[in-house]
Each structure stands twice: as C-alpha cells, then as structure tokens.
Amino acid sequence: MSRFLSRRFAGLEAYVPGEQPQDMEYVKLNTNESPFPPSPEVVAAVSAYEVGRLNLYPDPACRSLKRKLADHFGLAPENVFLSNGSDDILNFCFMAFCDGERPVAFPALSYGFYLVYAELYGLDSLAVPLREGFRLDPADYRNLGRTIVIANPNAPTGRAISVEEIASILEANRDQVVVIDEAYIDFGGDSCRRLIPQYDNLLVCQTFSKAWSMAGGRLGFALGDPGLIADLEKIKFSTNPYSINRLTQIAAEAALGSANYFAANCRAVAETRAYTVAELEKLGFETVPSVANFIFTRCPRVPGGTLYRRLKEKGVLVRHWDKADIADYCRVTIGSRGQMDVFLEKVREILEEESSHA
C-alpha cells in the first residue's frame, strides 16, 4: 500500500476471490461457475451488429431488461433493481440500509464479502454463529434491531432454510431490512420472492452468474418493495449509472427467453451433485447436505488443506479456508459429469497414496 491510502482503510482485509492460476490447464471446481455455456440464443444475441454499437452508452435504467425480468417473476418493473453483479448490489445494501444507527447482522460462517463490507463502512456487525452441523437457526435472528443479511443457500456450506423460516425472521424484524442473498437458489432451493407482497422490508438478491451461465457478464438483480428498489437506484445513480454494459443487457434478455435451457442445466447440476456426494460417501467423506451448485465436504483420513494442495498438484482446483472451524473441509463446485469424474479419480489416487505412506 502507498502512504496515501486513507487511514480508515489501513486495517481492511479485502475479500479474496477464488484463485485463477494460469500455469497449467485445471479442472476448475473452486469458483462456483456453471459448467455449461450460455444458451445458443444468448450467443446469437451478442452479434456483430451489437458489438458495433459499443460506441454508444447503454440504457442506464435497463428498461427493456427490467420489464422482461419483472414479467419472468410475475412482478412489476418497480420491484426490480439491476446492477453489475450481485456483489455490487450487496455493496449498495450495506451503503443504503446500514449506518451508525442501523448496525448489521449476518451468519458467522457465510459469504466473506459481508464482513468486508461491514468493515469497509465502519459498521457495528454481529456475526451470528451457526448451530451444530452448520445449521442456521431463525430464532437467532429475531428482534435483533439490525439490518440482516443471510445467504440462502448459505455459502460455503450449501445448506438452506425454508421460506416459512425466512418469513418468521421478517415478521420478527418488521422495522429492519432483511436481505436474502439467493445466488444459489436455482439448484434446489425455494426462493422467498413470493413473500415480497407481504413484507416491505424484504430484499431478495439473485445473479445471472450461476444458473444463467453468465459469470463473465457481471449481472445481478434484486427484487423487493418499490421503496427499497428506489433506495438502491439512488445509490447506483450516485455512483455509476452505466454499470451494466450494452452486451450484458442484450445477453440477459436472450437468456430470459431460453429459461428452459437453463432449468435443464440446473437439474443436471443437481443430479451430478447427488452422484458426487454418493461416490464421496463410498470413500469415507462426510458432506454437508447441499442444495447449491457446490458441496462442503471433508475426509477424516486427509486434512482439508492437504486435500486441496494435492488436488491442485493433480490439476483440480477446489476451495479451502484455513479457519479453524472449517479447516477440515473443502468446497467443491459441481461441474459437468466428466469434470466430477476427474475430481473423483484424483481423490481416489490421493487416498491410495496416503494409505501407502501410512
């Protein structure tokens, strides 16, 4: 860091994205990307004609895309907010709905950006411990007097709570905003967006990065009461109103027109997830029940850090954290069936090698 950085950021620990090494060809199971390409309609929509219009600014209000997204979910355009990835939206939520009078709460083990944003804005944050088995107990979030942010399904565990449980949190925190981060909801979870008409304090965040195979397009959206959406629009238009580029808007509209393609891909991920968990179980692994496009798993015979490093040596990337309470675990993105077979083959090799050295 330079000597010019503001002192308020001196102790800030930035979010660490999943590694993207370029030294060799890897089976990438570390960043929760989709193993499937965008739909043919998406590829066709990003045409030479549209590329030729990159000299023009995109529509900052994203009006056409907002209407199509609202129609897709049975909502009004006033219920929809769009920005440059769901991380951008979460950032705006911490800016708009948290301050010295409104502190924030989130699970102690969850998406790392929540703590980063809290520290970035100097917020009083409450990290709520998960219960045994990495379970989130809604009772721990009742009457907190804080803005609440919950990933559902949670990351990195993959566990989810029900819509009824989310409703109980909303009911017990009527005067606080409750942000439900549903980045992974399409792989087996149940979205709480149907609660939006009942609760003006609910904001649901989703993304095109996972189920819609557009991680490189950087597009997220939020659904909620028009008042909350207007708050986010105010923040967005005070920072970067052109945050969603022309090609991403076009690609997203085409994606919404090929929803069946993406739904089939989500089913395939769920089937491959079940297959992978079953095969790991045969090898003695213990896996947290997941409805996301990843699993959180451990092998009692091999430490998590060792498994991560050995897999990387063999050309397979997974995610590992050194935190004491989860150091035994690795998070493994569910790729294609072929990718998971490679992962399982390398795991078997590692276990055999470990046994021979014992």
Side-chain angles (χ1 to χ4, degrees), residues 52-70:
R53 301 179 71 202
L54 285 176
N55 59 307
L56 304 175
Y57 282 111
D59 175 12
C62 305
R63 286 165 293 191
S64 178
L65 175 56
K66 186 176 285 192
R67 284 194 298 270
K68 289 191 176 183
L69 199 56

Side-chain angles (χ1 to χ4, degrees), residues 75-339:
L75 297 167
E78 293 76 21
N79 296 118
V80 180
F81 175 77
L82 291 148
S83 198
N84 187 254
S86 59
D87 288 339
D88 207 30
I89 297 173
L90 292 167
N91 182 27
F92 291 159
C93 288
F94 276 74
M95 293 174 67
F97 308 125
C98 305
D99 53 30
E101 298 177 356
R102 291 172 297 185
V104 64
F106 43 79
L109 175 60
S110 193
Y111 186 33
F113 245 135
Y114 303 156
L115 180 59
V116 171
Y117 290 141
E119 293 181 346
L120 181 66
Y121 298 116
L123 301 171
D124 173 16
S125 62
L126 174 65
V128 182
L130 295 177
R131 299 300 183 101
E132 185 178 357
F134 303 117
R135 296 178 182 274
L136 187 150
D137 188 341
D140 294 333
Y141 293 84
R142 292 174 185 160
N143 306 309
L144 289 184
R146 295 169 176 264
T147 297
I148 296 171
V149 183
I150 293 174
N152 193 52
N154 193 23
T157 66
R159 278 194 179 276
I161 59 175
S162 69
V163 173
E164 291 72 25
E165 288 172 311
I166 291 172
S168 72
I169 295 172
L170 289 161
E171 194 65 42
N173 296 276
R174 279 283 190 172
D175 294 325
Q176 282 77 40
V177 173
V178 177
V179 179
I180 304 298
D181 180 359
E182 293 188 341
Y184 305 104
I185 199 68
D186 297 303
F187 300 99
D190 189 7
S191 175
C192 68
R193 61 180 175 265
R194 65 175 181 267
L195 298 177
I196 289 172
Q198 300 170 239
Y199 296 98
D200 65 355
N201 60 329
L202 170 62
L203 192 75
V204 181
C205 293
Q206 292 192 15
T207 179
F208 275 79
S209 294
K210 314 301 180 185
W212 297 89
S213 301
M214 283 180 52
R218 309 310 305 131
L219 180 64
F221 60 94
L223 309 172
D225 181 82
L228 295 180
I229 300 302
D231 295 340
L232 295 177
E233 296 282 9
K234 185 173 185 177
I235 299 295
K236 175 183 172 181
F237 277 80
S238 299
T239 52
N240 182 10
Y242 294 107
S243 64
I244 305 175
N245 70 72
R246 175 181 297 278
L247 298 183
T248 292
Q249 291 187 39
I250 291 166
E253 288 194 43
L256 290 169
S258 47
N260 290 339
Y261 170 85
F262 296 106
N265 289 345
C266 289
R267 289 193 296 271
V269 167
E271 292 168 0
T272 304
R273 181 182 66 214
Y275 162 76
T276 303
V277 170
E279 291 299 308
L280 287 174
E281 187 175 319
K282 295 175 185 176
L283 300 174
F285 277 68
E286 299 169 359
T287 303
V288 178
S290 172
V291 292
N293 67 332
F294 57 84
I295 55 174
F296 202 49
T297 190
R298 65 183 291 269
C299 178
R301 296 161 54 190
V302 182
T306 300
L307 182 62
Y308 154 75
R309 288 187 292 272
R310 298 291 303 281
L311 283 168
K312 186 176 180 179
E313 291 169 1
K314 293 176 179 292
V316 178
L317 291 177
V318 298
R319 194 80 191 264
H320 177 260
W321 290 268
D322 288 325
K323 298 177 182 178
D325 54 342
I326 59 171
D328 286 344
Y329 288 82
C330 286
R331 191 196 69 190
V332 184
T333 300
I334 300 301
S336 66
R337 178 66 178 262
Q339 288 176 314

Side-chain angles (χ1 to χ4, degrees), residues 19-26 312 317:
E19 60 187 322
Q20 305 279 358
Q22 305 296 319
D23 58 320
M24 61 181 281
E25 190 75 23
Y26 288 94
K312 186 176 180 179
L317 291 177

